[in-house]
Amino acid sequence: MNEYIHTLQEFMTQTKGMLYLLSAGYLISFVAFWRFLHGRDKEDNPKVQAKK
Amino acid sequence: MTESNPTVERPLFCRFNIIAGIFITIGLWLTYLRFTGGLGAVSNLDHYNPWGFWIAFDLLCGVALAAGGYTTAAAVEIFGMKKFHAALRPAILTGFLGYSMVAFALLYDVGRPWRLPYPFVVSPGVTSVMFEVGACVALYLTVLFLEFSPTALEWIGAKKLRRIAVRLTVLLTIMGVVLSTLHQSSLGAMFLLVPSKLHPLWYSPYIPVFFFVSSIAAGLSMVIFEGTLAHNSFKDKMDEQHLKSADHIALGFGKGASFVLAAYFAIKVFGVALGNNWHLLGTNYGIWFLVEVFGFILLPCFLFAIGVREQNVKLIRWTAFLTVLGIVVNRLNVVLICFNWQLPADQRYFPHWMEIGISIFVITVGLVIYRFIVTRMPILYEHPDYKKTH
């Protein structure tokens, strides 16, 4: 991968490009994770109700 | 106070006291060697490796794991999560003792410990990150002492002084959060100085952010972990409210820790991307990095989430232990394992057994003081004279 990088411009283009792709992927997957984490917070959860 | 039984006496020669007594005896002997023979008599520290096990474990791990104080105080006093109030005093006590032990351990690590106050009174290096760390730790230790003081004042019955101390709670909490944000990140910022010595997978211009975010996860996990230990060892000291809310606190803090670990995982991956260090992941250090990131960050993140979904408190408690272990691994990686990684093995630092012995001594002293306080002061129960007043 590194042998193609000769200038700071190329380095920044590659690393920033990768970072933007990762950030987009993370933001999308975080929504799924958030739903997973809070998925059973609802009142209809029998386990939650049993704890109350 | 219907529930707790603070007058229960514990035998003097119990298992804990005997083991602690042995460790403290050995520790006192090592202390004698340290302060009569110098650093070289008890450690492998030298001019090439001036920071060793004491800085890695006692200081960096100690400060990170003592973060439960500010995270819990912020949750309860600033964000109004009063349902976690039962966790506040144990967390403040753990933070206070943690930072006290950090300062205590520094007396062994600094060549001339009597010069510890010099940066404040003789030669302040206000442009140094280390000055900022020192100033923040000293101030935060004072803040933690004041936050802890209502407990001690209730114990000795100083009602007027306690009233003044309680009035300062919100101000102290805000100061605690500000100071912790500063020095938790600055501990990472100290490693900005050594980009050529720290392995590129651990070095990042964002290492202060890594340290700060990981300290929040460490603090939340430590509150759960410490609560588990207290529940097992001091159940007779707990009142009904503490016993009832133990599971609720574990679930709430587990959810918070899962959220923070998800963010921490992301920024660790972003760090690799920003340095374009993907090619290093196939090396031995890279595999170790993957073990840390997947085994000690992503895995506990999902285990916490599963524990919260399934209301599985036991899983959350084990995961808290895994997270605490992960933070210790991270700090040891940064300061010891991945530091000076390019040097041949015979020039690398490896801690002397006496260094580890002194660290065990410091932890034992902390545990003995914790036990002394918890068995006497209203930490795990509400004092009958002040019920519902805090």
Side-chain angles (χ1 to χ4, degrees):
Chain A
M1 195 185 283
N2 276 354
E3 59 261 30
Y4 300 111
I5 295 178
H6 300 292
T7 64
L8 180 64
Q9 173 69 24
E10 286 173 353
F11 179 80
M12 294 304 284
T13 305
Q14 174 151 335
T15 55
K16 286 287 181 184
M18 181 64 83
L19 194 65
Y20 288 139
L21 287 174
L22 282 171
S23 304
Y26 176 72
L27 287 173
I28 293 164
S29 55
F30 191 78
V31 174
F33 174 74
W34 183 265
R35 290 171 67 89
F36 177 75
L37 186 62
H38 291 273
R40 294 193 184 166
D41 284 357
K42 294 167 190 166
E43 289 299 314
D44 57 355
N45 183 354
K47 285 185 178 174
V48 174
Q49 289 203 337
K51 290 269 170 190
K52 281 182 179 177
Chain B
M1 194 172 29
T2 55
E3 319 73 10
S4 68
N5 189 2
T7 57
V8 168
E9 288 295 330
R10 286 158 189 263
L12 182 63
F13 291 101
C14 62
R15 193 171 52 181
F16 174 85
N17 284 355
I18 292 169
I19 295 171
I22 293 168
F23 284 157
I24 287 175
T25 308
I26 297 170
L28 289 173
W29 174 62
L30 295 176
T31 303
Y32 171 76
L33 292 180
R34 157 67 184 90
F35 288 104
T36 53
L39 283 169
V42 292
S43 76
N44 286 339
L45 298 172
D46 54 30
H47 289 302
Y48 298 107
N49 297 292
W51 284 4
F53 188 75
W54 291 331
I55 292 294
F57 188 75
D58 299 358
L59 199 144
L60 288 186
C61 294
V63 167
L65 298 178
Y70 86 88
T71 46
T72 312
V76 175
E77 302 292 353
I78 297 178
F79 299 117
M81 299 177 185
K82 298 292 180 190
K83 57 187 176 181
F84 299 131
H85 192 271
L88 185 56
R89 282 195 172 183
I92 294 287
L93 173 63
T94 311
F96 176 52
L97 287 179
Y99 276 87
S100 303
M101 291 304 111
V102 165
F104 182 48
L106 263 183
L107 298 176
Y108 290 80
D109 186 71
V110 176
R112 286 181 280 185
W114 54 92
R115 289 196 169 189
L116 268 180
Y118 270 36
F120 306 113
V121 292
V122 179
S123 54
V126 289
T127 54
S128 163
V129 176
M130 206 185 287
F131 173 81
E132 198 256 327
V133 171
C136 280
V137 169
L139 282 171
Y140 186 48
L141 185 56
T142 313
V143 166
L144 279 169
F145 172 74
L146 293 173
E147 282 185 302
F148 168 72
S149 61
T151 310
L153 293 170
E154 283 176 17
W155 181 51
I156 60 174
K159 291 188 176 181
K160 277 186 185 172
L161 273 176
R162 180 203 171 269
R163 207 176 306 133
I164 297 168
V166 167
R167 277 183 191 158
L168 295 171
T169 303
V170 175
L171 178 68
L172 290 171
T173 306
I174 293 168
M175 282 184 72
V177 171
V178 171
L179 291 168
S180 296
T181 308
L182 288 167
H183 75 262
Q184 292 283 1
S185 55
S186 299
L187 281 170
M190 288 199 296
F191 292 89
L192 292 173
L193 193 67
V194 286
S196 58
K197 289 186 177 181
L198 185 57
H199 192 280
L201 286 172
W202 280 270
Y203 177 82
S204 164
Y206 296 96
I207 196 171
V209 184
F210 295 172
F211 266 57
F212 174 62
V213 175
S214 61
S215 82
I216 300 173
L220 295 171
S221 302
M222 198 59 196
V223 171
I224 301 171
F225 180 60
E226 186 258 328
T228 308
L229 296 182
H231 200 265
N232 291 336
S233 305
F234 302 106
K235 204 171 180 179
D236 56 312
K237 301 287 173 194
M238 289 182 163
D239 64 11
E240 207 171 299
Q241 192 206 346
H242 279 76
L243 289 170
K244 265 186 187 171
S245 58
D247 288 0
H248 191 70
I249 289 167
L251 288 168
F253 277 57
K255 185 184 274 186
S258 178
F259 177 79
V260 175
L261 284 170
Y264 182 43
F265 173 78
I267 59 174
K268 286 290 273 188
V269 177
F270 292 171
V272 179
L274 278 169
N276 201 29
N277 292 320
W278 301 103
H279 61 290
L280 295 172
L281 292 177
T283 62
N284 288 340
Y285 277 103
I287 293 165
W288 182 229
F289 179 79
L290 292 173
V291 168
E292 185 193 316
V293 168
F294 284 94
F296 293 113
I297 302 173
L298 194 62
L299 178 66
C301 169
F302 275 103
L303 289 178
F304 271 133
I306 292 167
V308 170
R309 276 174 67 88
E310 301 295 328
Q311 307 273 300
N312 187 340
V313 176
K314 198 174 179 183
L315 177 64
I316 288 176
R317 287 185 170 147
W318 277 108
T319 309
F321 174 69
L322 180 66
T323 310
V324 167
L325 192 65
I327 299 299
V328 172
V329 167
N330 173 258
R331 299 308 194 255
L332 292 181
N333 278 340
V334 171
V335 188
L336 297 182
I337 300 166
C338 306
F339 198 78
N340 279 333
W341 62 287
Q342 290 160 316
L343 289 181
D346 59 326
Q347 293 178 32
R348 298 285 304 275
Y349 161 85
F350 191 81
H352 195 285
W353 74 266
M354 291 192 199
E355 287 176 70
I356 299 170
I358 286 175
S359 290
I360 293 172
F361 166 65
V362 171
I363 294 169
T364 309
V365 170
L367 286 174
V368 169
I369 299 172
Y370 177 87
R371 191 178 155 95
F372 176 87
I373 292 173
V374 163
T375 50
R376 284 162 180 80
M377 299 184 197
I379 298 289
L380 301 173
Y381 63 92
E382 281 194 89
H383 195 287
D385 295 348
Y386 306 97
K387 274 203 160 190
K388 308 292 175 198
T389 58
H390 34 128

